[in-house]
């Protein structure tokens, strides 16, 4: 991607999203960043970063967030979907079929798959006006790869991330047809120390557990190397292409 001035939106200011936003803010070409949370903190906006409310389970919330952004900015050049749900409250990734529940599967589907595509829907008018090349990058997960699945388990999360991957591929095709200058990719961040991965870190070697800052720096380096020829693909943090 070219290095011209940009405005960015980071959906989900969790561990990776916050690190990504902080590093984007240090870029001299960055004019501003919106980071979304379900409940933004009071001391929300610092420097180039503004926090806005967004809940992926509600299209009205997504629409309202992008209406607020459109009041401030004429265009967006970068969108990173850094939200995701593996466990929450009583929801745990399923180890076997007997643990599946309709409610938990639906929740995962809304947050991990449907919500990011609704973000694309409401961001499209601002991306269409982007100055030069733009990017829509959704953090997926290697476990969402159907052909890479050797262990099974984690039905809801795996199925939702596989659906997200299909959504990203569809979106890339539609935006190419519309002649939009937006690179659209799914990215696997690597196992990263965060609330999402915390309960599952016991068997991860310490040198394989990335800090959010390390992950963010790799994702930004990879993003900077992408061109239109990469749209509609799935990449790991190190730049290797992953099979769907
Ligand atoms: N960490 C890993 O090892 C790992 C590995 C593979 C893939 N990933 C993927 O990387 C992404 C970032 O994960 P992370 O490790 O940074 O996790 P994290 O720190 O737990 O952050 C998760 C984010 O998702 C947001 N979120 C959850 N439910 C939401 C909802 N209903 N509406 C809006 N936002 C919602 C949270 O928002 P609030 O701020 O409102 O709580 C939070 O900002 C996820 O897509 C995850 O699947 C992570």
């Amino acid at each position: 991607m070219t290095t011209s001035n940009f405005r960015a939106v980071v959906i989900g200011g969790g561990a990776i999203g916050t690190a990504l936003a902080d590093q984007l803010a240090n870029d001299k070409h960055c004019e501003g960043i919106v980071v979304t949370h379900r409940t933004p903190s009071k001391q929300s906006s610092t420097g180039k970063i503004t926090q806005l409310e967004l809940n992926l389970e509600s299209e009205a919330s997504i629409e309202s967030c992008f209406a607020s952004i459109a009041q401030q900015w004429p265009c967006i050049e970068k969108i990173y979907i850094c939200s995701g749900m593996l466990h929450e409250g009583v929801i745990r990734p399923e180890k076997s079929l007997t643990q599946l529940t309709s409610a938990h599967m639906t929740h995962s589907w809304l947050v991990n798959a449907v919500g990011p595509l609704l973000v694309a829907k409401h961001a499209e008018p601002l991306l269409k006006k982007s100055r030069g090349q733009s990017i829509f990058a959704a953090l997926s997960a290697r476990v969402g790869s159907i052909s890479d699945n050797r262990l099974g388990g984690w039905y809801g999360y795996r199925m939702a991330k596989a659906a997200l991957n299909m959504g990203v591929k569809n979106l890339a095709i539609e935006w190419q047809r519309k002649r939009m200058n937006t690179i659209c990719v799914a990215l696997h961040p690597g196992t990263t120390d965060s609330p999402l991965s915390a309960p599952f870190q016991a068997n991860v070697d310490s040198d394989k557990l990335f800090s959010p800052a390390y992950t963010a720096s790799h994702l930004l380096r990879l993003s900077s190397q992408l061109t239109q020829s990469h749209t509609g693909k799935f990449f790991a943090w190190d730049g290797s292409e992953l099979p769907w």
Side-chain angles (χ1 to χ4, degrees), residues 11-18 35-40 51 53-58 61-62 81-88 107 110-112 115-116 138-143 154 157 161 164 187-198 201 208-210 212 215 219:
I11 303 294
I16 298 174
T18 297
V35 179
T36 74
H37 295 270
R38 283 168 290 184
T39 313
Q51 288 191 28
E53 182 178 339
L54 183 145
N55 190 329
L56 290 163
E57 294 167 76
S58 154
S61 160
I62 297 168
I81 309 282
C82 296
S83 47
M85 196 284 296
L86 174 60
H87 59 91
E88 187 175 306
H107 183 70
L110 285 179
V111 176
N112 291 315
L139 296 201
S140 181
R142 189 187 292 270
V143 296
W154 292 19
Y157 186 71
K161 289 293 192 184
L164 170 67
L187 302 178
H188 167 62
T191 305
T192 305
D193 188 11
S194 76
L196 182 140
S197 69
Q201 292 175 2
K208 299 239 167 59
L209 182 66
F210 301 159
T215 297
L219 295 177

Side-chain angles (χ1 to χ4, degrees), residues 97-163:
L97 199 55
T98 53
Q99 295 172 345
L100 263 62
T101 73
S102 173
H104 296 174
M105 300 274 285
T106 304
H107 183 70
S108 179
W109 165 252
L110 285 179
V111 176
N112 291 315
V114 179
L117 269 292
L118 293 174
V119 168
K121 173 182 168 183
H122 293 286
E124 186 184 59
L126 288 166
L127 280 172
K128 271 185 177 159
K129 293 188 224 149
S130 71
R131 297 160 289 178
Q133 186 87 82
S134 52
I135 183 164
F136 179 95
L139 296 201
S140 181
R142 189 187 292 270
V143 296
S145 165
I146 292 174
S147 39
D148 191 65
N149 185 358
R150 291 176 189 89
L151 291 175
W154 292 19
Y155 281 88
Y157 186 71
R158 280 186 189 273
M159 289 168 68
K161 289 293 192 184

Side-chain angles (χ1 to χ4, degrees), residues 171-185:
L171 194 56
I173 292 169
E174 177 168 344
W175 282 353
Q176 274 185 313
R177 274 202 202 112
K178 288 178 170 166
R179 301 196 180 285
M180 281 173 61
N181 206 359
T182 307
I183 299 163
C184 188
V185 286

